[in-house]
């Protein structure tokens, strides 16, 4: 069977697709992954075929210019408008690349940006599904949707707000879907939310972290996280290992400032740190801080005892599956949701937004992780997540989808 996995995003957005692609390829399926040129090695090293997308993640997903980027990161509405504008600008080139990658005999699994394309294909009788790495769908329970007013809004308030925001977010895919229809000679798509209403959804989240919502329709299948199996040595002698600090692949981070912050916080906390940043010079940064560049987190978790990160879906899935205590410093999107869930599950301390993170707050987070108070809860959650096999459940769901076509 041929599969095309449509990833239009950052490295964190791509990693779950690689986990799924590896499993499909291991049983003999032909797997192609769309990704930006900067991610080519990630795809080919996983043994998968790379279908290049034009541009870069930064140029495609984010506004141009530092001033516009700072404004977008500080105001949710400005961020929404800026990302829709950026995706509309990139849509013609992306549509041509996807048209070249999607063959008539392929099963298509798309992330949020490619959802409209998947809906078009499904409308025209092509097997396709939407993959969600965070619970974006409307729900009344604040634990089951990241688009909620919080626990005080449980019930109608959360359902109304999350429904409104889901409708807005589905607009991210409309320009690309329209261009794909034009390039491939298909009938134009209808409103994005209507088009997505019948699309099968693979909710690639764990019910242990993101409880299923009663409002989810039957076409939603919660599989568990699509996380690569962590290093088998992850819990052996963990107390002697450094703490990992990584703020992900989101834009707007200042490497020099981040490095000064990490060194000062590690010194203040009196703990050894492994700082991961693709743009920093590797090697020792101070007596307590060593720097590594771009790395697969699944390969790093066996070298550390706890982690500080931004709370992106892919990173959260990898770290929790590895059983690592986690201090989340969210910036945008699904990150505040995952930070809140990590704390609620006892796997880490209260999150601190990245924009408010300073030497004192980072040092305090490092000290709390090093103290071991979250070790037991994180280890128990990790064992539960490793037993779920979210990728295997996704493969089974895709087999059922194909059998119906």
């Amino acid at each position: 069977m041929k599969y095309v996995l449509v990833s239009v995003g950052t490295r964190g957005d791509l990693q779950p697709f690689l986990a799924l692609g590896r499993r499909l390829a291991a049983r003999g399926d032909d797997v192609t992954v769309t990704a930006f040129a900067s991610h080519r090695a990630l795809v080919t090293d996983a043994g998968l075929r790379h279908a290049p997308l034009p541009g870069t993640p930064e140029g495609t997903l984010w506004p141009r210019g530092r001033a516009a980027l700072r404004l977008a990161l500080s105001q949710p509405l400005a961020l929404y408008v800026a990302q829709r504008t950026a995706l509309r600008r990139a849509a013609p080139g992306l549509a041509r690349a996807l048209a070249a990658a999607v063959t008539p005999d392929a099963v298509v699994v798309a992330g949020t940006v490619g959802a409209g394309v998947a809906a078009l294909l499904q409308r025209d009788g092509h097997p396709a599904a939407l993959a969600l790495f965070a619970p974006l769908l409307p729900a009344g329970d604040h634990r089951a949707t990241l688009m909620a007013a919080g626990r005080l809004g449980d019930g109608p308030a959360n359902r109304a707000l999350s429904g409104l925001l889901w409708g807005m977010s589905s607009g991210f895919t409309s320009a690309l879907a329209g261009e794909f229809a034009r390039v491939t000679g298909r009938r134009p798509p209808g409103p994005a939310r209507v088009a997505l209403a019948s699309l099968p959804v693979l909710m690639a989240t764990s019910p242990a972290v993101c409880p299923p919502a009663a409002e989810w329709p039957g076409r939603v299948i919660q599989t568990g996280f699509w996380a690569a199996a962590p290093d088998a040595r992850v819990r052996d002698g963990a107390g002697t290992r450094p703490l990992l600090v990584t703020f992900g692949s989101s834009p707007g981070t200042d490497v020099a400032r981040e490095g000064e912050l990490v060194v000062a916080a590690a010194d203040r906390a009196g703990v050894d740190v492994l700082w991961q940043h693709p743009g920093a010079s590797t090697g020792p940064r101070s007596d307590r801080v060593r720097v590594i560049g771009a790395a697969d987190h699944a390969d790093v978790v066996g070298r550390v005892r706890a982690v500080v990160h931004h709370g992106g879906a892919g990173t959260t899935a990898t770290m929790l599956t590895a059983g690592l205590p986690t201090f989340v410093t969210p910036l945008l999107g699904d990150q505040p949701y995952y930070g809140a869930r990590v704390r609620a599950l006892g796997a880490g301390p209260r999150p601190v937004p990245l924009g408010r993170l300073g030497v004192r707050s980072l040092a305090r987070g490092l000290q709390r992780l090093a103290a071991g108070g979250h070790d037991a809860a994180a280890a128990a959650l990790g064992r539960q997540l490793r037993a779920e096999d979210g990728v295997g459940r996704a493969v089974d769901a895709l087999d059922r989808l194909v059998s119906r076509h």
Side-chain angles (χ1 to χ4, degrees), residues 198-252:
S198 61
L199 185 63
V201 176
L202 300 177
M203 184 69 73
T205 63
S206 167
V209 178
C210 312
E215 296 90 343
W216 289 352
R219 61 190 173 84
V220 177
I221 300 171
Q222 189 172 28
T223 62
F225 289 129
W226 299 356
D231 190 303
R233 303 164 300 165
V234 65
R235 302 310 300 165
D236 296 339
T240 63
R241 296 174 182 169
L243 280 67
L244 175 66
V245 176
T246 175
F247 296 119
S249 51
S250 296

Side-chain angles (χ1 to χ4, degrees), residues 44 50 56 63 73 87-88 103 118 130 132 139 165 188 191 207 217 222 225 230 250 286 298 315 321 357 364 385:
T44 56
H50 175 235
T56 65
L73 293 177
L87 286 167
R88 189 178 301 116
T103 57
L130 167 62
L132 292 179
L165 294 176
Q222 189 172 28
F225 289 129
S250 296
S286 72
T315 306
T321 300
L357 190 69
R364 187 181 301 117
L385 297 180

Side-chain angles (χ1 to χ4, degrees), residues 5 9 28 85 100 133 142 145 152 154-155 181 199 202 246 265 286 302 332 365 378 403:
L5 310 183
T85 300
F133 305 127
H142 73 279
T145 177
L152 296 179
D154 275 347
L199 185 63
L202 300 177
T246 175
S286 72
L332 48 79
S403 71

Side-chain angles (χ1 to χ4, degrees), residues 39 56 65 72-73 123 130 140 147 154 171 182 206 232 310 351 393:
H39 296 151
T56 65
L73 293 177
R123 181 200 68 186
L130 167 62
M147 301 187 190
D154 275 347
R182 183 184 64 80
S206 167
H310 62 307
R393 292 182 183 181

Side-chain angles (χ1 to χ4, degrees), residues 274-378:
L274 193 65
W275 175 41
Q276 190 266 320
H277 196 296
S281 299
T282 59
R285 194 62 174 257
S286 72
D287 289 343
R288 290 200 172 275
V289 178
R290 183 173 182 82
V291 186
I292 58 172
D296 187 335
H297 288 151
D299 296 332
V300 176
V301 293
R303 300 161 56 187
V304 299
R305 55 175 163 152
V307 60
V308 178
H309 68 80
H310 62 307
T315 306
T316 300
T318 298
M319 301 307 172
L320 293 184
T321 300
L324 292 177
T326 298
F327 173 40
V328 177
T329 59
L331 178 63
L332 48 79
D334 53 6
Q335 298 165 11
Y337 168 82
Y338 276 119
R341 294 304 301 143
V342 167
R343 184 192 181 212
L345 293 165
R350 180 193 297 271
V352 175
L354 187 59
R356 299 207 301 267
L357 190 69
V359 173
R360 180 178 298 179
S361 53
L362 179 54
R364 187 181 301 117
L366 291 171
Q367 288 171 331
R368 288 178 177 170
L369 292 178
H374 300 287
D375 286 4

Side-chain angles (χ1 to χ4, degrees), residues 261-273:
L261 172 65
V262 171
V263 169
D267 289 342
R268 184 184 182 105
V271 299
D272 293 334
V273 165

